[in-house]
Amino acid sequence: MSIAQIAARPAGLTRAVTITVAGHFGAAFAALCMPPFYAQILQSSFAAQGSSAALAGWYFTLPTLAAAVANPAWGRLADRIGRRASLMRAHGGLCISFIVTGLARTPLEFAFGLTLQGLLGGTFSASNAYLAEQLAPARLAALLGVMQASARTALFIGPALIGMMSGRADLLQLFLYLALFPGAACVVLYLLPDAGVRAPRRAVVQPSAAAIASPTADAAGRCGLSAAGLYRLQALFAIGTVLPYPYFVSDLAQRLQIGAATAGLLFGLPHALFLLLAWPLGRQLGFANARAALGWYAALTSAGMLLQALAGALPALLAGRVLMGIGMTGAYLAINTLAAATSTAAQAGRHFGSLEGANKWGAVGAGLLASLLAPSLGYAAPLWLGAALVATLFITLKWKLI
C-alpha cells in the first residue's frame, strides 16, 4: 500500500480495528483462562455438595455446546442489525454471564452461568464479522491472524496467572472480576461510530456485480476449498486439540507430579509460541497454499501431542508442547487464510458465525469424549485420542478426501 493510500484511509478504520482487537483480547482473557481449572473449582467450592472433579469435562462442554447452538443464529442476526451492535451484544452478554457464574452457590447455578457464557457470548465471530464488513480478503486474512494472536496471548497469560493464584484466591469469585473486561469493551464499542469507516454509496454510478465480487471470488477459487469444507475441517481440528483441555492440569499432577502453577505455564506455552511464530509463518501463507499447509501443520500438531502422551518426564513433555505449538500456529493461520478467502461482505456474519459454530461443536465433542474417557481410561486418554484425530485431518487433506 502506497503512502498516499495510507493517508487517504479514514482514521475511523484504524480506530475501529484497534478497539475490536483490544476488546477481543479482554473478552478472550476472561473466557479462556478459567476452563483448565474447572476441576479445582468443583473441588474447592462445591465438594460439600457432592460435586466431583471428574465432572470437569461435562462442565467444560456446557458453554461450548450453548455457543455451538447460538453462534450461527447470532451471525445471521448480525447481518441484519449491524456488526457493531452485534459485537456490543456479545461483550455485554459475556459480562452478564460472568457475574451470574461468579455468584453461583450450587453446582447447578455454576452450570447455568457457564451455559449463559456460551449462549450470550460469541465475541470472536462477532469481531471477525465486524472486520470482514470493512476489509478486503487479503487484509482480512492478516487481521484474523492478529485476532488469533490476541486469543493465544490470553490463553498463555490467563492460565498462568490463575495457576499462580489458585492457592491464594477463591477461583469461583474471580469470575466477578473477569466480568470487567467484556463490560469495559461493551462501553467503548458504544462510543464507536457504526460503520462510519465505509464510503457512502452513489446512486449514479454503480459498479457491476462481477466487479464487486471479483476479489472474493478470485480468493475463493485459489484456495481450493468451499466454506462448508472449511467448517468440517475446523470442527475436526477443534475436537483433536481441545480434547486434553479439561483434564490437562489433573493429568500432569497425576502422571508427572507437576503443580498447578507450572501446569498453567505449560498449558499456555503453545499459545505463547503463536505470538513468536505467527508473523514469520504467516508470511509464507497465501490463498493458493493454505489448504496444503493446513494438512502439514496438522501432522506436526499430532506429533507434538503424541510426544506429550508418551512423556515420562518434564523435558519430553516440554518438547511435545513446543512441537504442538508450532503446528497449531501454522494450522490456525492456514484456517484464517481459508476463512478470509471463503468470506463475502454480504454474509460475513453468517460465515464467521458458522465457522465459530463448527469450532464450538468440535469443542463440545471434545468435552464429551474427554468426560467419557478420563474416568475409565485415565486423564491421559484424551491426549491419545486427540493426536489420532488431528492426524486424521492430515490424512483427509493429503489424500483430498474433502
Side-chain angles (χ1 to χ4, degrees):
M1 182 178 291
S2 68
I3 296 177
Q5 287 175 311
I6 295 174
R9 288 173 61 212
L13 179 58
T14 301
R15 183 172 64 249
V17 169
T18 302
I19 292 174
T20 301
V21 174
H24 174 258
F25 170 76
F29 178 88
L32 300 176
C33 66
M34 296 304 292
F37 300 92
Y38 284 172
Q40 280 83 341
I41 291 175
L42 292 174
Q43 285 181 321
S44 61
S45 299
F46 306 116
Q49 301 176 52
S51 187
S52 168
L55 297 174
W58 296 102
Y59 282 86
F60 177 87
T61 300
L62 291 174
T64 49
L65 174 60
V69 173
N71 273 356
W74 288 129
R76 290 190 292 271
L77 182 64
D79 290 333
R80 300 184 61 181
I81 68 173
R83 281 60 182 265
R84 183 185 73 100
S86 175
L87 188 52
M88 287 175 56
R89 178 216 58 77
H91 283 295
L94 200 58
C95 176
I96 292 171
S97 63
F98 277 140
I99 293 173
V100 172
T101 306
L103 294 175
R105 293 296 175 264
T106 68
L108 183 61
E109 292 176 359
F110 181 56
F112 177 68
L114 294 179
T115 304
L116 279 184
Q117 290 179 31
L119 285 176
L120 303 182
T123 55
F124 187 65
S125 58
S127 298
N128 289 346
Y130 182 67
L131 293 174
E133 181 183 42
Q134 305 169 63
L135 301 172
R139 180 157 170 75
L140 176 61
L143 260 295
L144 292 182
V146 174
M147 294 293 287
Q148 281 285 357
S150 107
R152 302 306 134 191
T153 303
L155 274 168
F156 172 62
I157 296 175
L161 289 177
I162 300 301
M164 289 186 286
M165 297 171 62
S166 61
R168 306 179 183 89
D170 186 332
L171 294 180
L172 184 61
Q173 290 188 355
L174 287 179
F175 279 103
L176 298 176
Y177 297 99
L178 293 173
L180 296 174
F181 289 99
C186 184
V187 172
V188 174
L189 282 165
Y190 177 77
L191 304 176
L192 184 69
D194 192 6
V197 301
R198 304 201 70 173
R201 294 186 178 182
R202 296 180 180 272
V204 178
V205 180
Q206 290 289 346
S208 66
I212 294 174
S214 59
T216 300
D218 180 59
R222 280 186 287 158
C223 79
L225 187 69
S226 67
L230 178 61
Y231 303 154
R232 291 193 289 271
L233 293 176
Q234 170 71 87
L236 182 58
F237 190 72
I239 293 175
T241 53
V242 174
L243 258 167
Y245 279 20
Y247 299 101
F248 181 79
V249 175
S250 300
D251 175 38
L252 297 193
Q254 183 184 79
R255 184 158 54 103
L256 300 175
Q257 292 75 53
I258 292 176
T262 303
L265 288 170
L266 289 168
F267 180 87
L269 179 58
H271 311 293
L273 288 173
F274 187 101
L275 305 177
L276 297 175
L277 301 175
W279 186 76
L281 293 183
R283 293 185 64 192
Q284 309 303 318
L285 285 171
F287 295 136
N289 69 347
R291 188 181 187 277
L294 176 57
W296 289 110
Y297 282 123
L300 197 61
T301 303
S302 177
M305 297 176 72
L306 183 61
L307 182 56
Q308 293 175 65
L310 294 169
L314 181 58
L317 179 72
L318 187 62
R321 297 299 286 176
V322 170
L323 198 61
M324 177 183 175
I326 298 171
M328 284 179 61
T329 299
Y332 278 121
L333 291 173
I335 289 172
N336 289 341
T337 303
L338 293 169
T342 52
S343 173
T344 61
Q347 295 187 331
R350 178 176 299 193
H351 176 61
F352 286 103
S354 297
L355 184 63
E356 186 62 9
N359 185 50
K360 296 303 183 184
W361 278 115
V364 168
L368 292 174
L369 286 172
S371 298
L372 293 172
L373 290 172
S376 57
L377 299 178
Y379 291 138
L383 192 55
W384 286 98
L385 180 58
L389 290 176
V390 176
T392 302
L393 191 151
F394 164 72
I395 295 171
T396 299
L397 288 171
K398 178 65 175 176
W399 279 272
K400 298 182 179 179
L401 302 178
I402 193 171

